[in-house]
Amino acid sequence: MKNKLLLFLLFHLLLGNKLIAENLTDVVNIHNANLELITTIIPSDTIKKYKKTSRNLKITALLSPPSTIAGSSCGDGISPSQVNVYAFGNSSSETIEWFASQTSASPIFTGNVYSPSIMTTKTYYVRSRLGSDTSTRVPVVASIYFTPPAVTLSASPVNNTSSPLCLGTSVTFTASGGADLFEFSVDGVVVQPMSTSKIFTTNLLTDGQVVRVRTRYQVSMDGTITEKTWGTGALEDNFLSAPLSTNASTGYINSLKISASEDKLVLGIAGKVLNNRSLLLFLDTKPGGFNVSNYGDEADSDPLVRSFNLFNNNPSTFDSYFQADYCLVISTDAGETNYYANVVELKTGTSIKTYLGSASTGLPSAVMGVNKNNAGINDYNLGFEVEVLKSLIGYTTGDIKFFGLTMNDKEDGSQTVTNSFLSPERSSNLDYGIGSVDYNLKDPNPVVVSSAALTPCYSEANIMMNFVSIPTTASVTQPTCALQSGTIVIAVQPGVEYSIDGVTYQNSNEFSGLTQGNYTIYVRNKLDNSCVLSSVDPIIINAIPTPPVVPTSTSIIQPTCGTPSGSIAIVTQSGVEYSLDGITYQSSNTFTGLAPTDYTLYVRNLADNTCVTPSASVTTINAIPTPPVVPTSTSIIQPTCGTPSGSIAIVTQSGVEYSLDGIT
């Protein structure tokens, strides 16, 4: 299908570039638009394998390869460990297929998350499928690294809760078991970095601090890539590699391994580089980067990294999911006397070279080991070990992708990219040349390595320290009117006894019945009475509080027929609250809406609710007065000619007065 599409597009290329530009986006959906299927016909490719049916896996792919996340676990290389690897297509309609190799016909799993249980490191290959269209297969590594043997930690003098140590005591910690290197920390802060020393001594510890040791394997920088720190196998190998070309026979790459430390990586590259051959390992370590080798040449002439610049002269296209950020270059002179390692940061304009160091077989440096005696493409044990700071290659988090190759960089016109790659060329023994190559159409793929593989496997042990500490109070109870003495409770410490005068000690941390005064608290080691420590500031027990004075009323308003409730105002006192029942208190001294009854007045101190003073006598709110009966007249005298006015006499009631207009 893709061949037909390519021919169709090439035909229309002859009619005009505009048509291609308008329709290419709708046809080819590859990450970052870096598949140059139309404009690049790879004329400098010396292999010409894109016509072979064995290449159909790549050239029929219309889908972008899936986004991937590699996985890694710590294990023993004997019992299976589960490793999770992930892949996600560009749409939910795509099916994700996992394969055991680059060439296997049937998937071993279908889905986004593959969780094999494995004993050794394996590389899986994953692709997207949508109908009959498939993407390229992406190598994704499931790593198994060795967990170091168990480590134990002891302290001298012995540290325990029954006999805590005195502050300032010098304590020596000794690790037993474990692996090659040991790191000591206190409360998570490293105090003795990774080294071969199993002993750590300090006199700066305090109570409750945790001293931890962790141990890991290390690399011996000799070019022999066999230590346990490399894990259970290569992150990628050349098992399916075609026979080497003539130029690759003295410059080839067999596999990649990684040994991680806290802030560095050691890259173990099995292979051989002789007679002006170079090895280029491109790294995709962070977002962004170059998908096409159109970055700036390295311009430092001391000396130039010639192969790096040669590869860049005719820009090649990496697989669409790979955006190179850095390149590690290992090169040698004609006689293989010395080997050189440089890291080049890919930049627009001029790329930046950082020289790492040099070494030769039998003469390693601190950052590089070389063994040029690799026996051939099945030898995964000998080659190069190069240490690099994670920060130097821009790494902070996430997976890393690698794309490795070798080059002949002689200055005699025979310069070429060989047919030896990290993810191998499978079927041709011809060089790739130094012209433009679209690796989307080739066998070699970038290899995805898990972020977890960039953190070492550790074994750990720890001890929590017990020291006699400066005493502090857990609580202080002040005297009240109800309980006229104070109490001090000292914070508990194991293995100590307590005192409030430095003379008399007791097992209990509580001291009660205390009168007003300042108290210094003490602790000492119960076992031998050593480690006497006292509080910094005295603990103050206050005087017994003074109760408020007896409350009296300042005004009383009795109920009336118009206002059928009374009110009481208590004489104001400072620092008190008021009550009429000794239960409910308020800040106001006035109580209204009172029903007829006898009331006892109460006041209590705001600072001490037990200091309550009642009134000496009750205050009475009277009953609501009874209205008089309906008035009636007892006699009425009408006016006469002789007496021109009348009179009315109302029936007499006691305790009342009378009116004919309700006013007078």
Side-chain angles (χ1 to χ4, degrees):
M1 176 178 176
K2 186 173 182 182
N3 287 334
K4 293 179 180 179
L5 175 63
L6 184 58
L7 290 173
F8 174 82
L9 292 175
L10 287 173
F11 172 78
H12 282 272
L13 178 62
L14 300 176
L15 299 180
N17 290 330
K18 181 178 180 181
L19 180 60
I20 293 176
E22 291 175 345
N23 292 281
L24 182 58
T25 303
D26 297 329
V27 177
V28 184
N29 180 23
I30 300 296
H31 287 309
N32 302 312
N34 284 321
L35 267 178
E36 300 176 353
L37 295 177
I38 292 85
T39 59
T40 302
I41 310 177
I42 320 175
S44 57
D45 179 16
T46 61
I47 304 177
K48 304 291 186 183
K49 288 200 305 173
Y50 56 85
K51 294 182 179 179
K52 295 186 179 181
T53 56
S54 64
R55 311 297 292 199
N56 283 345
L57 179 63
K58 284 229 171 182
I59 67 172
T60 60
L62 290 178
L63 293 177
S64 295
S67 301
T68 59
I69 302 174
S72 184
S73 292
C74 298
D76 58 11
I78 300 173
S79 301
S81 298
Q82 179 176 308
V83 182
N84 297 324
V85 286
Y86 305 81
F88 302 93
N90 291 290
S91 74
S92 59
S93 301
E94 295 177 23
T95 300
I96 302 299
E97 297 177 331
W98 297 85
F99 295 86
S101 77
Q102 189 71 288
T103 58
S104 53
S106 300
I108 55 176
F109 181 77
T110 299
N112 296 109
V113 185
Y114 180 37
S115 303
S117 292
I118 54 178
M119 293 181 289
T120 59
T121 295
K122 292 184 181 297
T123 301
Y124 296 97
Y125 298 82
V126 62
R127 74 181 182 189
S128 292
R129 172 183 290 279
L130 185 60
S132 60
D133 292 329
T134 58
S135 73
T136 59
R137 297 186 187 184
V138 179
V140 180
V141 180
S143 310
I144 299 292
Y145 281 86
F146 286 109
T147 302
V151 61
T152 59
L153 187 63
S154 60
S156 179
V158 174
N159 166 74
N160 55 54
T161 57
S162 62
S163 180
L165 303 174
C166 299
L167 284 175
T169 299
S170 180
V171 183
T172 296
F173 299 87
T174 302
S176 300
D180 306 321
L181 300 177
F182 301 84
E183 174 194 85
F184 292 86
S185 63
V186 176
D187 286 350
V189 178
V190 175
V191 292
Q192 184 167 297
M194 281 288 177
S195 70
T196 56
S197 175
K198 298 184 177 183
I199 296 174
F200 166 61
T201 301
T202 182
N203 62 351
L204 302 177
L205 300 174
T206 58
D207 185 61
Q209 288 191 307
V210 175
V211 178
R212 183 181 307 274
V213 64
R214 63 178 183 176
T215 178
R216 63 170 172 83
Y217 291 110
Q218 71 167 335
V219 174
S220 176
M221 300 292 282
D222 55 6
T224 303
I225 317 169
T226 56
E227 297 92 341
K228 283 192 174 255
T229 186
W230 298 111
T232 59
L235 304 180
E236 174 65 306
D237 58 46
N238 66 348
F239 176 73
L240 295 174
S241 176
L244 295 177
S245 67
T246 300
N247 281 310
S249 64
T250 54
Y252 54 84
I253 177 172
N254 291 343
S255 67
L256 172 69
K257 299 179 183 179
I258 292 177
S259 172
S261 66
E262 291 65 46
D263 60 347
K264 301 181 181 72
L265 299 177
V266 182
L267 301 175
I269 307 168
K272 179 175 287 189
V273 173
L274 302 178
N275 189 21
N276 288 310
R277 300 305 194 266
S278 295
L279 188 153
L280 278 65
L281 185 66
F282 287 92
L283 297 87
D284 183 351
T285 60
K286 58 185 179 181
F290 292 83
N291 182 244
V292 179
S293 58
N294 57 351
Y295 42 79
D297 280 354
E298 177 274 310
D300 187 346
S301 59
D302 188 26
L304 283 173
V305 182
R306 190 167 59 247
S307 57
F308 175 83
N309 292 341
L310 288 171
F311 184 77
N312 192 37
N313 285 343
N314 294 291
S316 291
T317 303
F318 297 111
D319 276 54
S320 56
Y321 59 92
F322 186 79
Q323 292 181 303
D325 301 298
Y326 295 85
C327 183
L328 170 67
V329 184
I330 299 173
S331 55
T332 185
D333 50 34
E336 306 99 37
T337 305
N338 293 297
Y339 287 82
Y340 309 93
N342 291 275
V343 166
V344 186
E345 183 178 2
L346 310 187
K347 293 285 189 180
T348 300
T350 301
S351 294
I352 301 173
K353 179 180 72 175
T354 300
Y355 175 64
L356 296 180
S358 65
S360 59
T361 298
L363 295 172
S365 66
V367 298
M368 187 176 186
V370 175
N371 191 318
K372 67 178 182 180
N373 298 316
N374 189 282
I377 62 173
N378 296 319
D379 184 346
Y380 301 120
N381 294 331
L382 301 182
F384 307 94
E385 297 165 323
V386 180
E387 182 181 85
V388 59
L389 283 167
K390 294 177 183 177
S391 59
L392 182 62
I393 57 173
Y395 179 77
T396 56
T397 187
D399 293 352
I400 292 184
K401 302 179 183 73
F402 296 89
F403 184 76
L405 56 96
T406 62
M407 288 190 67
N408 166 22
D409 58 0
K410 286 184 178 180
E411 295 183 281
D412 60 359
S414 64
Q415 297 93 345
T416 185
V417 175
T418 74
N419 75 328
S420 180
F421 293 84
L422 176 60
S423 178
E425 165 56 42
R426 300 199 310 268
S427 56
S428 174
N429 63 352
L430 300 178
D431 288 339
Y432 270 55
I434 57 172
S436 297
V437 175
D438 188 338
Y439 286 94
N440 287 283
L441 307 179
K442 301 296 181 182
D443 287 338
N445 296 104
V447 179
V448 183
V449 176
S450 169
S451 59
L454 310 179
T455 300
C457 293
Y458 297 102
S459 288
E460 299 184 355
N462 65 78
I463 295 177
M464 178 176 285
M465 300 307 298
N466 294 281
F467 286 89
V468 177
S469 300
I470 294 173
T472 59
T473 57
S475 65
V476 177
T477 304
Q478 296 293 348
T480 66
C481 290
L483 181 63
Q484 298 186 346
S485 63
T487 299
I488 296 174
V489 179
I490 303 174
V492 173
Q493 296 186 43
V496 304
E497 51 189 8
Y498 309 88
S499 174
I500 57 171
D501 61 8
V503 177
T504 303
Y505 284 83
Q506 63 184 41
N507 288 329
S508 172
N509 65 325
E510 180 175 325
F511 296 84
S512 58
L514 303 179
T515 59
Q516 179 183 4
N518 295 345
Y519 294 85
T520 299
I521 56 179
Y522 298 83
V523 292
R524 70 182 182 186
N525 189 304
K526 186 186 297 185
L527 185 65
D528 58 9
N529 297 339
S530 64
C531 308
V532 177
L533 294 175
S534 61
S535 58
V536 177
D537 298 314
I539 311 303
I540 299 173
I541 295 297
N542 299 330
I544 300 170
T546 302
V549 300
V550 175
T552 58
S553 61
T554 183
S555 68
I556 302 170
I557 299 175
Q558 297 294 346
T560 66
C561 290
T563 305
S565 63
S567 66
I568 299 173
I570 303 174
V571 174
T572 301
Q573 299 183 43
S574 61
V576 303
E577 51 189 1
Y578 308 89
S579 176
L580 294 182
D581 59 5
I583 299 172
T584 303
Y585 284 82
Q586 63 184 42
S587 58
S588 172
N589 68 322
T590 300
F591 296 84
T592 60
L594 301 179
T597 191
D598 293 333
Y599 292 92
T600 300
L601 313 182
Y602 297 88
V603 289
R604 69 180 183 187
N605 288 350
L606 287 170
D608 178 10
N609 292 340
T610 70
C611 290
V612 178
T613 302
S615 58
S617 60
V618 298
T619 299
T620 301
I621 295 297
N622 298 330
I624 301 169
T626 302
V629 300
V630 176
T632 59
S633 62
T634 183
S635 67
I636 300 172
I637 300 174
Q638 299 295 339
T640 64
C641 292
T643 305
S645 61
S647 65
I648 299 174
I650 301 173
V651 175
T652 301
Q653 298 183 42
S654 62
V656 303
E657 49 190 6
Y658 308 90
S659 173
L660 293 180
D661 58 9
I663 298 173
T664 305

